[in-house]
């Protein structure tokens, strides 16, 4: 059952082979056994999960079930969840019980899915290793001495260790795809604007996008069907006709043009990652696809551009955490200013403070034009690269991350090296494009490697099929770590 697909679990529930309460208990049992080692969950609330499961069983009995009714889903702790502690991985929100549900959570509630727990994450989603969490790092289930990636490391770990059949994540510069790659699971960041950001605690609003992490592309499609949708409370969500993301699954790949960016296959990519990615591309050729070399000439600019724009937006978004409206307040202070200062000094961790400082700097008078405006112009050029590239190909492939999972602590004192973890993923956020990562085998020491698939705007159904076809012939995604 731990390895079952969402479709299989759904069938078991429909045929009454198992109840949602039983299924929920199974996963809660596994979380209780494994979480002390992996630290993938910040909050588990058995009572609330079981209440949802009982409700789901009633929906199933009434014959009104949706494919994911009664299925336990792990929710990244960035999504406000009514009645649940919602921390965003920060001390700042360590006492915040959300009074309302995020748009994404509402969607899952509406169809009767079960929230199995809130997953650990880098503080305010800033990080690539899950080490910036106030709740301590998450461990990679494939090798407990290594990081799971970040910032959705708790969700990726939960799915990899089979503590949940599927999970949600968010991706501002790679936070769904990079942890999915490092943990050997599948994840997709949809086109910007498809998933509501309402109640999804904001990091960099023009880049943040929610999406699913699951074992397979077929499972991701079912998750996306629930998550995508216009939300009048998020002015950047798009009003589009509802799409069934399972629609394309099974279509042959004959003639598919895969673009391989010259700039991605470079020495920064480690040999074991290169080997696995090249082997995956060979498989695609066998499936009928052809490859074309393309160029994304501004690739090198993505990290510098991102580290101007994301901190700029973060410095503004995080100004709301002032110790007054909600969240942490310093216990001792002399006056209002002192209270602001102490609350923020004590409530935020080092990485968050670094971003706020950078963001405030690049937005300040005299530097705004030199940094912020310049970065916005370059962002446009990066997006333009992709528009040109998609004239020559249907899909782009490369590595998700330049290396496999690195050791805990290895990069935590070297922010620049840490930032390079997202060298391949960040450009898609800057361009607003969809990107996904699927398991493509193992590198040195048996660590998972992720294949990165970038699609054109709104090509999620096609991308999922591209991943699905590979998962019909290769079974990397079905392999699970020996859990301890
Ligand atoms: N690692 C990147 C950062 O720290 C991306 C994080 C994310 O996608 N949330 O900003």
């Amino acid at each position: 059952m731990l390895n079952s697909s969402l479709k299989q679990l759904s069938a078991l529930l429909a045929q009454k082979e198992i109840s949602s309460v039983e299924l929920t208990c199974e996963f809660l049992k596994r979380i209780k056994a494994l979480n002390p080692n992996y630290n993938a969950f910040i909050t588990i609330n058995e009572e609330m999960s079981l209440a949802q499961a009982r409700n789901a069983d009633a929906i199933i009995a009434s014959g009104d079930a949706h494919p994911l009714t009664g299925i336990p889903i792990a929710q990244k702790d960035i999504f406000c969840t009514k009645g649940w502690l919602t921390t965003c991985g920060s001390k700042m929100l360590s006492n915040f019980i959300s009074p309302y549900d995020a748009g994404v959570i509402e969607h899952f509630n509406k169809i009767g899915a079960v929230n199995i727990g809130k997953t650990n994450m880098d503080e305010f989603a800033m990080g690539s290793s899950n080490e910036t969490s106030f709740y301590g790092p998450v461990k990679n289930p494939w090798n407990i001495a290594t990081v799971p990636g970040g910032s959705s490391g708790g969700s990726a770990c939960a799915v990899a260790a089979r503590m949940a059949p599927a999970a949600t994540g968010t991706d501002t510069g790679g936070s769904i795809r990079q942890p999915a790659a490092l943990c050997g699971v599948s994840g997709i960041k949809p086109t910007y604007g498809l998933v509501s950001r309402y109640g999804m605690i904001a990091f960099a609003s023009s880049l943040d996008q929610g999406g699913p992490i699951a074992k397979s592309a077929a499972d991701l499609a079912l998750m996306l069907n629930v998550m995508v949708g216009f939300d009048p409370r998020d002015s950047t969500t798009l009003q589009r006709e509802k799409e069934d993301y399972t629609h394309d699954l099974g279509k042959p790949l004959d003639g598919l043009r895969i673009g391989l960016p010259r700039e991605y296959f470079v020495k920064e990519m480690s040999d074991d990652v290169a080997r696995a990615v090249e082997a995956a591309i060979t498989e695609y050729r066998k499936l009928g696809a052809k490859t074309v070399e393309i160029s994304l000439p501004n690739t090198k600019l993505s990290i510098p551009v991102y580290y101007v724009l994301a901190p700029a937006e973060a410095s503004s978004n995080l100004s709301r955490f002032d110790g007054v409206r909600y969240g942490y307040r310093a216990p001792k202070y002399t006056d209002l200013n002192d209270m602001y200062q102490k609350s923020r000094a004590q409530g935020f961790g080092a990485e968050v403070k670094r971003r706020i400082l950078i963001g405030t700097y690049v937005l300040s008078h005299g530097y705004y034009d030199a940094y912020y405006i310049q970065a916005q112009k370059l962002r446009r050029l990066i997006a333009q690269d992709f528009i040109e590239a998609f004239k020559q190909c249907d899909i782009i492939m490369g590595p998700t991350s330049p290396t496999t999972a690195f050791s805990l602590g290895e990069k935590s004192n070297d922010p620049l090296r840490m930032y390079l973890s997202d060298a391949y993923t960040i450009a898609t956020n800057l361009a607003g494009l969809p990107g996904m990562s699927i398991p493509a085998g193992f590198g040195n020491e048996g660590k998972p490697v992720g294949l990165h698939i970038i699609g054109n705007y709104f090509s999620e159904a096609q991308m999922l099929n591209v991943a699905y076809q590979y998962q019909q012939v290769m079974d990397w995604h079905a392999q699970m770590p020996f859990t301890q």
Side-chain angles (χ1 to χ4, degrees):
M1 179 138 65
L2 292 175
N3 236 354
S4 303
S5 67
L6 293 181
K7 204 170 157 186
Q8 286 165 334
L9 292 177
S10 188
L12 290 177
L13 287 165
Q15 291 148 11
K16 316 259 169 27
E17 301 263 332
I18 191 167
S19 69
S20 174
V21 167
E22 286 162 345
L23 191 61
T24 303
C25 285
E26 277 300 310
F27 280 101
L28 284 172
K29 205 165 84 194
R30 188 150 171 96
I31 292 171
K32 271 193 231 156
L34 296 182
N35 201 49
N37 287 343
Y38 296 132
N39 200 25
F41 288 85
I42 293 175
T43 305
I44 307 158
N45 187 328
E46 226 175 298
E47 224 169 278
M48 288 183 87
S49 298
L50 286 172
Q52 284 187 313
R54 281 192 291 273
N55 176 47
D57 282 329
I59 300 173
I60 295 167
S62 75
D64 259 349
H66 171 281
L68 298 193
T69 305
I71 309 257
I73 307 287
Q75 301 288 356
K76 185 175 180 179
D77 208 21
I78 198 167
F79 290 103
C80 286
T81 314
K82 193 173 177 178
W84 288 69
L85 181 68
T86 299
T87 70
C88 216
S90 182
K91 179 175 177 183
M92 193 49 106
L93 289 173
S94 54
N95 61 2
F96 177 60
I97 309 274
S98 177
Y100 72 106
D101 279 322
V104 163
I105 301 286
E106 277 179 1
H107 283 312
F108 280 108
N109 288 346
K110 212 181 299 154
I111 56 122
V114 173
N115 177 359
I116 195 79
K118 304 292 299 285
T119 58
N120 203 346
M121 55 181 285
D122 278 300
E123 185 177 9
F124 286 104
M126 299 173 190
S128 306
S129 67
N130 239 279
E131 292 164 298
T132 73
S133 170
F134 173 64
Y135 298 89
V138 177
K139 312 283 171 57
N140 189 318
W142 291 94
N143 180 337
I144 204 145
T146 64
V147 303
S151 65
S152 314
S155 289
C157 170
V159 174
R162 309 304 192 238
M163 290 187 271
T168 56
T170 61
D171 191 309
T172 306
S175 278
I176 288 176
R177 293 160 287 160
Q178 188 255 13
L182 271 45
C183 289
V185 294
S186 307
I188 183 164
K189 176 203 99 72
T191 305
Y192 183 81
L194 284 184
V195 173
S196 168
R197 291 184 299 104
Y198 175 76
M200 189 178 106
I201 298 169
F203 162 13
S205 314
S206 78
L207 301 158
D208 297 343
Q209 190 61 196
I213 294 180
K215 294 190 286 289
S216 67
D219 286 1
L220 291 177
L222 290 174
M223 289 284 284
L224 263 196
N225 279 352
V226 178
M227 293 178 78
V228 168
F230 172 68
D231 186 338
R233 298 160 302 183
D234 170 3
S235 61
T236 61
T237 49
L238 300 159
Q239 226 160 346
R240 303 185 84 239
E241 220 178 291
K242 193 123 187 84
E243 196 176 335
D244 176 2
Y245 291 99
T246 64
H247 194 263
D248 276 7
L249 299 186
K251 280 197 184 161
L253 299 186
D254 293 312
L256 180 85
R257 295 169 303 163
I258 301 176
L260 304 176
R262 203 175 301 146
E263 295 79 5
Y264 286 9
F265 294 85
V266 289
K267 59 174 184 334
E268 283 79 8
M269 174 171 34
S270 68
D271 291 345
D272 56 342
V273 170
R275 268 196 302 277
V277 168
E278 271 152 26
I281 290 164
T282 303
E283 268 328 301
Y284 273 104
R285 290 200 188 95
K286 289 192 207 153
L287 286 166
K290 13 180 228 232
T291 52
V292 278
E293 191 183 86
I294 57 162
S295 175
L296 298 167
N298 292 299
T299 295
K300 276 215 152 25
L301 295 174
S302 351
I303 290 193
V305 165
Y306 175 90
Y307 279 99
V308 171
L309 297 180
E313 295 187 29
S315 72
S316 164
N317 275 327
L318 271 59
S319 65
R320 74 192 67 179
F321 302 106
D322 56 5
V324 176
R325 282 167 282 195
Y326 40 69
Y328 176 81
R329 177 184 295 178
K332 285 199 196 107
Y333 48 86
T334 50
D335 57 18
L336 184 65
N337 265 331
D338 192 47
M339 186 204 51
Y340 287 154
Q341 279 172 15
K342 290 215 168 85
S343 300
R344 286 170 69 83
Q346 293 164 21
F348 289 136
E351 184 59 27
V352 173
K353 286 179 191 157
R354 181 179 296 124
R355 307 273 179 120
I356 293 173
L357 285 173
I358 297 171
T360 309
Y361 179 81
V362 300
L363 289 176
S364 59
H365 183 71
Y367 295 107
Y368 182 82
D369 292 326
Y371 293 106
Y372 184 72
I373 296 290
Q374 190 66 10
Q376 290 287 24
K377 290 180 184 163
L378 296 175
R379 178 176 188 176
R380 163 57 62 188
L381 290 182
I382 291 165
Q384 199 60 40
D385 279 359
F386 284 102
I387 293 172
E388 287 304 314
F390 281 121
K391 290 179 183 161
Q392 288 164 264
C393 62
D394 308 305
I395 215 118
I396 295 173
M397 284 187 191
T400 305
S401 160
T403 65
T404 56
F406 44 92
S407 298
L408 284 154
E410 190 180 323
K411 300 185 186 175
S412 31
N413 294 322
D414 189 349
L416 280 183
R417 271 186 72 212
M418 186 71 90
Y419 297 170
L420 290 173
S421 310
D422 297 311
Y424 297 120
T425 48
I426 274 179
T428 49
N429 300 75
L430 291 168
L433 287 165
M436 75 186 291
S437 182
I438 55 167
F442 297 90
N444 299 343
E445 298 155 39
K447 294 179 192 167
V449 175
L451 175 73
H452 194 203
I453 302 173
I454 304 172
N456 212 337
Y457 300 104
F458 309 115
S459 68
E460 285 79 3
Q462 181 195 28
M463 295 163 70
L464 288 162
N465 178 46
V466 167
Y468 174 84
Q469 292 293 3
Y470 178 76
Q471 293 181 338
Q472 299 310 296
V473 290
M474 305 302 278
D475 75 344
W476 307 120
H477 65 288
Q479 302 195 23
M480 68 189 244
F482 171 76
T483 42
Q484 44 221 300

Short mmCIF file of all heavy atoms in Angstrom, two decimals, residues 446-476:
data_model
loop_
_atom_site.label_atom_id
_atom_site.label_comp_id
_atom_site.label_asym_id
_atom_site.label_seq_id
_atom_site.Cartn_x
_atom_site.Cartn_y
_atom_site.Cartn_z
N GLY A 446 24.49 5.92 -4.61
CA GLY A 446 23.06 5.62 -4.65
C GLY A 446 22.14 6.80 -4.39
O GLY A 446 21.01 6.63 -3.92
N LYS A 447 22.62 8.00 -4.70
CA LYS A 447 21.77 9.17 -4.47
C LYS A 447 20.96 9.49 -5.72
O LYS A 447 21.49 9.49 -6.83
CB LYS A 447 22.64 10.38 -4.10
CG LYS A 447 23.36 10.24 -2.77
CD LYS A 447 24.18 11.49 -2.58
CE LYS A 447 25.16 11.37 -1.46
NZ LYS A 447 26.12 12.48 -1.52
N PRO A 448 19.68 9.84 -5.53
CA PRO A 448 18.81 10.09 -6.69
C PRO A 448 19.24 11.29 -7.54
O PRO A 448 19.80 12.26 -7.03
CB PRO A 448 17.45 10.39 -6.04
CG PRO A 448 17.53 9.91 -4.65
CD PRO A 448 18.96 9.94 -4.25
N VAL A 449 18.96 11.16 -8.83
CA VAL A 449 19.20 12.26 -9.79
C VAL A 449 17.85 12.64 -10.40
O VAL A 449 17.03 11.76 -10.69
CB VAL A 449 20.14 11.80 -10.93
CG1 VAL A 449 20.30 12.90 -11.99
CG2 VAL A 449 21.51 11.42 -10.38
N GLY A 450 17.63 13.93 -10.57
CA GLY A 450 16.37 14.38 -11.18
C GLY A 450 16.57 14.87 -12.60
O GLY A 450 17.56 15.53 -12.90
N LEU A 451 15.61 14.51 -13.45
CA LEU A 451 15.58 15.04 -14.81
C LEU A 451 14.64 16.24 -14.82
O LEU A 451 13.50 16.15 -14.35
CB LEU A 451 15.06 13.97 -15.78
CG LEU A 451 14.88 14.43 -17.23
CD1 LEU A 451 16.23 14.61 -17.93
CD2 LEU A 451 14.01 13.44 -18.02
N HIS A 452 15.13 17.35 -15.35
CA HIS A 452 14.33 18.57 -15.37
C HIS A 452 13.63 18.69 -16.71
O HIS A 452 14.26 18.55 -17.76
CB HIS A 452 15.27 19.77 -15.17
CG HIS A 452 14.59 21.06 -14.85
ND1 HIS A 452 15.17 22.28 -15.08
CD2 HIS A 452 13.38 21.33 -14.29
CE1 HIS A 452 14.35 23.24 -14.68
NE2 HIS A 452 13.27 22.70 -14.19
N ILE A 453 12.33 18.92 -16.68
CA ILE A 453 11.55 19.09 -17.90
C ILE A 453 10.90 20.47 -17.84
O ILE A 453 10.16 20.77 -16.90
CB ILE A 453 10.45 18.01 -18.01
CG1 ILE A 453 11.09 16.61 -17.98
CG2 ILE A 453 9.62 18.20 -19.27
CD1 ILE A 453 10.09 15.48 -17.92
N ILE A 454 11.21 21.31 -18.81
CA ILE A 454 10.61 22.64 -18.87
C ILE A 454 9.67 22.67 -20.07
O ILE A 454 10.05 22.24 -21.17
CB ILE A 454 11.68 23.74 -19.04
CG1 ILE A 454 12.72 23.66 -17.91
CG2 ILE A 454 11.04 25.13 -19.07
CD1 ILE A 454 13.92 24.59 -18.12
N GLY A 455 8.47 23.15 -19.86
CA GLY A 455 7.50 23.22 -20.96
C GLY A 455 7.17 24.66 -21.28
O GLY A 455 7.54 25.58 -20.54
N ASN A 456 6.45 24.83 -22.37
CA ASN A 456 5.97 26.17 -22.70
C ASN A 456 4.80 26.53 -21.79
O ASN A 456 4.29 25.67 -21.08
CB ASN A 456 5.54 26.20 -24.18
CG ASN A 456 5.78 27.57 -24.79
OD1 ASN A 456 5.85 28.57 -24.09
ND2 ASN A 456 5.88 27.60 -26.10
N TYR A 457 4.38 27.78 -21.80
CA TYR A 457 3.27 28.19 -20.95
C TYR A 457 2.06 27.27 -21.17
O TYR A 457 1.71 26.96 -22.30
CB TYR A 457 2.87 29.65 -21.26
CG TYR A 457 4.01 30.61 -21.01
CD1 TYR A 457 4.74 31.16 -22.06
CD2 TYR A 457 4.39 30.94 -19.71
CE1 TYR A 457 5.79 32.03 -21.83
CE2 TYR A 457 5.45 31.81 -19.46
CZ TYR A 457 6.14 32.34 -20.52
OH TYR A 457 7.19 33.18 -20.28
N PHE A 458 1.47 26.85 -20.08
CA PHE A 458 0.24 26.04 -20.08
C PHE A 458 0.40 24.68 -20.75
O PHE A 458 -0.58 24.10 -21.21
CB PHE A 458 -0.93 26.80 -20.75
CG PHE A 458 -1.10 28.17 -20.17
CD1 PHE A 458 -0.89 29.30 -20.95
CD2 PHE A 458 -1.44 28.33 -18.84
CE1 PHE A 458 -1.03 30.58 -20.41
CE2 PHE A 458 -1.58 29.60 -18.28
CZ PHE A 458 -1.37 30.72 -19.07
N SER A 459 1.61 24.16 -20.81
CA SER A 459 1.78 22.85 -21.45
C SER A 459 1.88 21.74 -20.39
O SER A 459 2.44 20.68 -20.66
CB SER A 459 3.03 22.85 -22.34
OG SER A 459 4.18 22.95 -21.53
N GLU A 460 1.33 21.97 -19.21
CA GLU A 460 1.44 20.98 -18.14
C GLU A 460 0.96 19.59 -18.57
O GLU A 460 1.60 18.58 -18.24
CB GLU A 460 0.64 21.42 -16.90
CG GLU A 460 1.27 22.54 -16.09
CD GLU A 460 1.08 23.93 -16.68
OE1 GLU A 460 0.39 24.07 -17.72
OE2 GLU A 460 1.62 24.88 -16.11
N ALA A 461 -0.16 19.52 -19.27
CA ALA A 461 -0.70 18.20 -19.65
C ALA A 461 0.32 17.47 -20.53
O ALA A 461 0.57 16.27 -20.35
CB ALA A 461 -2.03 18.36 -20.37
N GLN A 462 0.93 18.20 -21.44
CA GLN A 462 1.94 17.59 -22.31
C GLN A 462 3.17 17.16 -21.50
O GLN A 462 3.69 16.05 -21.66
CB GLN A 462 2.34 18.59 -23.40
CG GLN A 462 3.36 18.02 -24.35
CD GLN A 462 4.04 19.10 -25.20
OE1 GLN A 462 4.17 20.25 -24.78
NE2 GLN A 462 4.44 18.72 -26.39
N MET A 463 3.62 18.04 -20.62
CA MET A 463 4.81 17.72 -19.80
C MET A 463 4.56 16.46 -18.96
O MET A 463 5.42 15.59 -18.83
CB MET A 463 5.14 18.87 -18.84
CG MET A 463 5.56 20.14 -19.53
SD MET A 463 5.44 21.52 -18.40
CE MET A 463 6.78 21.18 -17.27
N LEU A 464 3.36 16.39 -18.39
CA LEU A 464 3.04 15.23 -17.55
C LEU A 464 3.06 13.96 -18.38
O LEU A 464 3.51 12.91 -17.93
CB LEU A 464 1.68 15.43 -16.87
CG LEU A 464 1.70 16.50 -15.75
CD1 LEU A 464 0.30 16.99 -15.42
CD2 LEU A 464 2.39 15.96 -14.49
N ASN A 465 2.59 14.06 -19.61
CA ASN A 465 2.64 12.88 -20.48
C ASN A 465 4.07 12.51 -20.85
O ASN A 465 4.42 11.33 -20.90
CB ASN A 465 1.81 13.11 -21.75
CG ASN A 465 1.88 11.90 -22.67
OD1 ASN A 465 1.75 10.77 -22.21
ND2 ASN A 465 2.14 12.13 -23.95
N VAL A 466 4.89 13.53 -21.08
CA VAL A 466 6.30 13.26 -21.40
C VAL A 466 6.95 12.50 -20.24
O VAL A 466 7.66 11.51 -20.43
CB VAL A 466 7.04 14.59 -21.70
CG1 VAL A 466 8.55 14.41 -21.72
CG2 VAL A 466 6.56 15.18 -23.03
N ALA A 467 6.63 12.92 -19.03
CA ALA A 467 7.17 12.24 -17.85
C ALA A 467 6.55 10.85 -17.69
O ALA A 467 7.22 9.86 -17.38
CB ALA A 467 6.90 13.07 -16.61
N TYR A 468 5.26 10.78 -17.95
CA TYR A 468 4.52 9.53 -17.80
C TYR A 468 5.06 8.43 -18.71
O TYR A 468 5.26 7.29 -18.30
CB TYR A 468 3.04 9.81 -18.11
CG TYR A 468 2.14 8.61 -18.15
CD1 TYR A 468 1.58 8.09 -16.99
CD2 TYR A 468 1.81 8.01 -19.37
CE1 TYR A 468 0.74 6.99 -17.04
CE2 TYR A 468 0.96 6.91 -19.43
CZ TYR A 468 0.43 6.41 -18.26
OH TYR A 468 -0.40 5.32 -18.30
N GLN A 469 5.35 8.82 -19.96
CA GLN A 469 5.85 7.84 -20.92
C GLN A 469 7.18 7.24 -20.45
O GLN A 469 7.41 6.05 -20.58
CB GLN A 469 6.02 8.48 -22.30
CG GLN A 469 4.72 8.87 -22.97
CD GLN A 469 3.87 7.67 -23.35
OE1 GLN A 469 4.22 6.53 -23.07
NE2 GLN A 469 2.75 7.90 -23.98
N TYR A 470 8.01 8.09 -19.91
CA TYR A 470 9.30 7.62 -19.38
C TYR A 470 9.05 6.67 -18.21
O TYR A 470 9.71 5.64 -18.06
CB TYR A 470 10.12 8.84 -18.95
CG TYR A 470 11.46 8.54 -18.33
CD1 TYR A 470 12.54 8.15 -19.13
CD2 TYR A 470 11.67 8.67 -16.96
CE1 TYR A 470 13.78 7.90 -18.56
CE2 TYR A 470 12.90 8.42 -16.39
CZ TYR A 470 13.97 8.03 -17.19
OH TYR A 470 15.20 7.78 -16.63
N GLN A 471 8.08 7.04 -17.38
CA GLN A 471 7.80 6.21 -16.20
C GLN A 471 7.09 4.90 -16.55
O GLN A 471 6.97 4.02 -15.70
CB GLN A 471 7.01 7.04 -15.17
CG GLN A 471 7.90 8.16 -14.62
CD GLN A 471 7.25 9.05 -13.58
OE1 GLN A 471 6.02 9.14 -13.49
NE2 GLN A 471 8.08 9.73 -12.77
N GLN A 472 6.66 4.76 -17.80
CA GLN A 472 6.14 3.47 -18.25
C GLN A 472 7.28 2.50 -18.59
O GLN A 472 7.11 1.30 -18.50
CB GLN A 472 5.24 3.63 -19.49
CG GLN A 472 4.01 4.49 -19.29
CD GLN A 472 3.23 4.10 -18.05
OE1 GLN A 472 2.70 3.00 -17.97
NE2 GLN A 472 3.19 4.98 -17.08
N VAL A 473 8.42 3.05 -18.99
CA VAL A 473 9.52 2.17 -19.38
C VAL A 473 10.64 2.10 -18.34
O VAL A 473 11.43 1.15 -18.33
CB VAL A 473 10.13 2.58 -20.76
CG1 VAL A 473 9.14 2.28 -21.89
CG2 VAL A 473 10.54 4.04 -20.81
N MET A 474 10.71 3.07 -17.46
CA MET A 474 11.73 3.06 -16.41
C MET A 474 11.02 3.08 -15.06
O MET A 474 9.98 3.73 -14.93
CB MET A 474 12.63 4.30 -16.51
CG MET A 474 13.30 4.50 -17.85
SD MET A 474 14.32 3.12 -18.39
CE MET A 474 15.82 3.45 -17.52
N ASP A 475 11.60 2.40 -14.07
CA ASP A 475 10.86 2.36 -12.80
C ASP A 475 11.57 3.09 -11.65
O ASP A 475 11.34 2.79 -10.48
CB ASP A 475 10.54 0.92 -12.42
CG ASP A 475 11.77 0.19 -11.91
OD1 ASP A 475 12.90 0.70 -12.14
OD2 ASP A 475 11.62 -0.87 -11.26
N TRP A 476 12.40 4.05 -11.98
CA TRP A 476 13.11 4.80 -10.92
C TRP A 476 12.13 5.37 -9.90
O TRP A 476 12.40 5.37 -8.70
CB TRP A 476 13.92 5.97 -11.50
CG TRP A 476 14.87 5.65 -12.60
CD1 TRP A 476 14.84 6.15 -13.87
CD2 TRP A 476 16.00 4.77 -12.56
NE1 TRP A 476 15.88 5.64 -14.61
CE2 TRP A 476 16.61 4.80 -13.83
CE3 TRP A 476 16.55 3.96 -11.55
CZ2 TRP A 476 17.74 4.05 -14.14
CZ3 TRP A 476 17.68 3.22 -11.86
CH2 TRP A 476 18.26 3.27 -13.14
#
